[in-house]
Amino acid sequence: MPKHRTSLKDLAQELGVSIATVSRALHSSPEIGKEMQQRVKELAKKMNYRPNPFAQSLRKEAPKVIGVVLPNLVTHYYAAVLDGIEVEARKAGYSVISANTHEDCLDEQRAIDNFIDLHVVGIIACLSQSTTDYSHFEEISDMGIPLVFFGRTCLPEKFSSVTANGDEAAQQATQHLIDTGSRRIAFVGGPNHLDMVRRRKHGYLEALRDNHIPIERELVMCDNIDFDIALKNTLHLLQRPDRPDAILAFNDILLFAAFNAIKQQGLRIPEDVALIGFTDDAHARYTTPCLSAIEDQSSKMGQMACRLLLANIAGDTRIRKEIVPQKLVIRETSAKHKRK
């Protein structure tokens, strides 16, 4: 079996310091005390640490490579964001490499470590749904590596970000459901610690408050972003004697889970249960009935994130917050009837 290759992270964990400190010590940086430099170098020798020659050659040649961290690359949303990043990066003469975290924090941390080792000039990232510890991003800040978040974000005081107006869009979608006859509207969402989930849920709740509709906690189902879990949770809602007459879904995975659950229960859309969710145009138009949707301008979001990163790489250290508006598109799944 091949042995594990000692990394900067291994040295940092052994010494209880940051990767940035280890890297600077190995390069005899005056920012690091002589005693710490000696400790790091002795441990590196003991653990048979070898610098990555590929990374070193890249560093010497000053490559123009951007790393992109994505939670779920097989979805259209993230693929479209990546496409937007690549389009903008190509214009500026940069190449892009991407890492799929599969919604797992450990995979996210490994992706960040790999990008550090490869000496990418900057990183664009969207948090995995399981990420609640942001220390690996704190290290990025400490090392001075430019980073921009999109979609799901953290550490707003340290990093620029590009997000959508999910709160306003969710409020408009919920208002549309109310205006067309729905009253018991459920929200099927992701983990509550994600800022994107909180924004969209906030908009949904604001619409209920504005229309003096009581908020029922049992109609708010926030859980993992997983098709099978969302299907189970939606079936649970629909099997209640006082089932919801409409559902707002957080994203395309949860939207299609809700769509399947309604069909499994033999209910009609929208007559029995109206449905609307956050998804893209391509998915929404090819179902029967066609889905009403809050559509992301995902490619535009990728382009904007890349522009912010390139500005940061060029020396613009401002923390900027950009918002890309979403579009409410009404089709067949949401309108029961017009309110008189």
Side-chain angles (χ1 to χ4, degrees), residues 196-221:
M196 182 188 282
V197 174
R198 293 196 301 269
R199 287 193 298 268
R200 295 179 181 184
K201 183 167 68 172
H202 175 75
Y204 153 79
L205 295 174
E206 283 296 291
L208 297 184
R209 293 188 187 101
D210 288 348
N211 290 272
H212 308 291
I213 295 175
I215 295 170
E216 302 177 60
R217 290 187 178 181
E218 60 270 21
L219 294 183
V220 181
M221 302 287 285

Side-chain angles (χ1 to χ4, degrees), residues 104-266:
D104 184 87
C105 184
L106 291 178
D107 281 349
E108 180 180 276
Q109 292 171 359
R110 281 189 283 267
I112 293 294
D113 284 345
N114 288 338
F115 286 160
I116 292 172
D117 288 343
L118 289 172
H119 295 282
V120 298
V121 294
I123 297 171
I124 298 172
C126 179
L127 294 177
S128 81
Q129 65 172 317
S130 65
T131 301
T132 55
D133 174 7
Y134 309 129
S135 57
H136 48 303
F137 293 114
E138 293 272 10
E139 282 192 355
I140 290 291
S141 177
D142 292 342
M143 296 177 76
I145 299 173
L147 183 146
V148 171
F149 282 109
F150 74 90
R152 309 172 193 168
T153 72
C154 67
L155 305 174
E157 73 284 358
K158 292 181 179 291
F159 299 110
S160 295
S161 64
V162 180
T163 57
N165 61 335
D167 51 349
E168 295 176 17
Q171 187 168 0
Q172 292 170 5
T174 306
Q175 186 64 54
H176 161 71
L177 290 170
I178 294 168
D179 288 343
T180 54
S182 298
R183 287 298 177 273
R184 302 197 75 251
I185 303 168
F187 177 77
V188 179
N192 280 308
H193 67 267
L194 292 176
D195 59 334
M196 182 188 282
V197 174
R198 293 196 301 269
R199 287 193 298 268
R200 295 179 181 184
K201 183 167 68 172
H202 175 75
Y204 153 79
L205 295 174
E206 283 296 291
L208 297 184
R209 293 188 187 101
D210 288 348
N211 290 272
H212 308 291
I213 295 175
I215 295 170
E216 302 177 60
R217 290 187 178 181
E218 60 270 21
L219 294 183
V220 181
M221 302 287 285
C222 288
D223 208 329
N224 284 345
I225 302 170
D226 178 89
F227 182 90
D228 291 333
I229 291 174
L231 178 66
K232 179 181 176 181
N233 287 340
T234 309
L235 286 171
H236 175 76
L237 281 173
L238 296 175
Q239 289 164 359
R240 295 172 58 93
D242 55 348
R243 70 165 189 258
D245 62 359
I247 294 172
L248 172 64
F250 166 74
N251 72 354
D252 50 358
I253 294 172
L254 306 190
L255 176 62
F256 283 101
F259 186 90
N260 281 20
I262 296 168
K263 293 285 190 179
Q264 282 187 30
Q265 289 298 107

Side-chain angles (χ1 to χ4, degrees), residues 310-321:
L310 293 174
N312 197 333
I313 292 169
D316 185 352
T317 58
R318 291 176 295 169
I319 306 299
R320 297 169 58 186
K321 311 297 178 188

Side-chain angles (χ1 to χ4, degrees), residues 71-101:
N72 189 347
L73 189 51
V74 298
T75 67
H76 185 275
Y77 170 77
Y78 292 113
V81 171
L82 180 59
D83 181 72
I85 293 170
E86 290 177 338
V87 166
E88 202 65 25
R90 192 178 303 117
K91 291 178 187 176
Y94 285 77
S95 299
V96 174
I97 55 175
S98 62
N100 187 355
T101 70

Side-chain angles (χ1 to χ4, degrees), residues 291-323:
L291 287 162
S292 293
I294 305 116
E295 294 181 356
D296 289 296
Q297 297 189 70
S298 43
S299 182
K300 185 175 180 180
M301 181 170 286
Q303 289 179 293
M304 179 63 70
C306 192
R307 287 183 202 135
L308 290 184
L309 184 69
L310 293 174
N312 197 333
I313 292 169
D316 185 352
T317 58
R318 291 176 295 169
I319 306 299
R320 297 169 58 186
K321 311 297 178 188
E322 299 291 341
I323 296 176

